Amino acid sequence: MGPGGAGVSSVAAAAALRVARSHRSSRSPVVRPATGDNDTLLITVDRLSKTAGRLGVFRRDGEAVQVSEGLYLLSLDRLSLLEETWAQFSSILAEATARSSVRLPGMGAVTGVASGELIHFPGIEDFLLLRRVRDEATRGRWRRIVLDCSGGGDAMALLRAPTVLHQMINRLWPRHLRIAAAAERPVLAQVSAAVDTIDTDCLDVAELIRDPAIAAVTLVVTADDRGAGLLESVLATIDLMGVALRSVVLNHAGPPPGDLHTLPDDPHTLPDDDETAGDATAGDAATAAPDRVLRQMRSVLAPDEADGVRVHEVGTRPHALDKPARLRKLDIGLDEPSGHGHGSSLVRVRTLSGSGVDSRFEMAWRQRLPDPDSFGLGRAGDDLLVTVDGFRHPVRLPSVLRRCEAIDAHWDGERLRVVFAPDPAVWPVR
């Protein structure tokens, strides 16, 4: 994942080719049944993605296409997934309406919307994409899945979608009301069960994304002034969401300076955008990222490197990456999940003072704040709504803090610390 134009698609395709090749070379010489559980799946979510053409295969939406031995490409289309899901859900609603002697408000209008009439359901489409990724990850077919998050707008908003949809469902129709409605009107049992399934899937997908033992995030940014300007903001969002950052790829227009760590040692083609490289030659100083920018970016990444995040630099040449052979020359690898959490997934709670209703608790995690003036806190049920650099995300409160109110917050330059006090109205009295 990374900002638009950073070369995310190129890195994802090149990495998938390398992963598939390494899996093939590491296979046991013992002949086993062809179960396919050693294969790699590359998933794209951009309807305009050119990855299929680069890999020399035809795009077939929703169907895994074999690229080479051990590598498959799955192209997902938001609208197709939305139409399919809506057809199933509206069928359940129509059946419930037909069986009910009581006319439910708005049901007729909803069931009358055909799947072909749909244009856009904000957030739901992103959730459906990630649910399909979850389904592929849990079916036992693939040894490794590489998800290319480019082309879909803000990658962090894409990953946040299941959490947002879960919140929306439970604000509009909370679970206890769904259960009560199903009990009072058995005809609504199917509708309630369908909504429950979606709600459960939201939680399941959100947990999968944040599980550091399963998922590993690779961030791709350009090694120039634009990339340097975006880097800290993107890292702050990653801190807030708590996804497991494992590696950062700095993409140059020219070969990286020799005194800095590089991967690979002899850099090859990688475009500034997702289609072609720039017009500059590898040695053109006008397009090579200055040492100043590189050192600035490495300084920002220093705390992450200390925590085990690997930083790779890739140089580029003016050639289109339109063939698997050229992508393979990039020799870009992906780091395995480490099992070590990141940011808000490593929340720590401690008692500051007092006892009972006079207690004071502190909740803290490592959080960047590129613009402290844009920081904001809110509350929605059991979630603390945190706004960082214009990005708002719910952080689930530990159970001890769900009957408390946030009374103070401060940032020490490294960690965000929020102080809570018990709410006398709901705090248990002993």
Side-chain angles (χ1 to χ4, degrees), residues 181 217 302 311 338 366 413:
V217 172
V311 179
S338 65
R366 198 181 80 180

Side-chain angles (χ1 to χ4, degrees), residues 338-361:
S338 65
H340 180 64
H342 187 89
S344 64
S345 68
L346 297 176
V347 160
R348 295 289 183 267
V349 178
R350 66 188 182 103
T351 302
L352 294 178
S353 62
S355 61
V357 294
D358 297 322
S359 301
R360 293 295 181 267
F361 304 99

Side-chain angles (χ1 to χ4, degrees), residues 207-253:
E207 182 180 354
L208 177 69
I209 291 171
R210 285 168 51 95
D211 189 342
I214 298 175
V217 172
T218 295
L219 174 63
V220 184
V221 292
T222 51
D224 54 18
D225 287 323
R226 176 176 179 268
L230 293 172
L231 180 59
E232 193 167 7
S233 179
V234 175
L235 291 173
T237 307
I238 291 175
D239 290 342
L240 177 57
M241 288 196 63
V243 292
L245 180 65
R246 287 290 291 124
S247 58
V248 178
V249 175
L250 303 181
N251 170 21
H252 302 251

Side-chain angles (χ1 to χ4, degrees), residues 289-303:
D291 286 352
R292 171 188 56 81
V293 174
L294 289 174
R295 296 187 186 282
Q296 175 187 345
M297 298 178 79
R298 296 300 289 253
S299 175
V300 171
L301 292 166

Side-chain angles (χ1 to χ4, degrees), residues 163-181:
T163 302
V164 173
L165 182 57
H166 165 71
Q167 276 197 328
M168 183 175 68
I169 289 173
N170 287 280
R171 290 297 296 272
L172 297 178
W173 197 11
R175 189 170 187 273
H176 67 279
L177 294 182
R178 298 198 298 268
I179 295 173

Side-chain angles (χ1 to χ4, degrees), residues 45 78 126-127 129-130 149 152 154-162:
V45 297
R78 282 176 165 80
D126 291 340
F127 158 70
L129 287 175
L130 294 176
C149 293
D154 186 350
M156 301 309 296
L158 166 67
L159 299 180
R160 179 184 59 182

Side-chain angles (χ1 to χ4, degrees), residues 295-319:
R295 296 187 186 282
Q296 175 187 345
M297 298 178 79
R298 296 300 289 253
S299 175
V300 171
L301 292 166
D304 300 289
E305 288 191 87
D307 283 347
V309 175
R310 297 182 61 191
V311 179
H312 312 305
E313 295 179 29
V314 180
T316 64
R317 290 180 183 174
H319 299 292

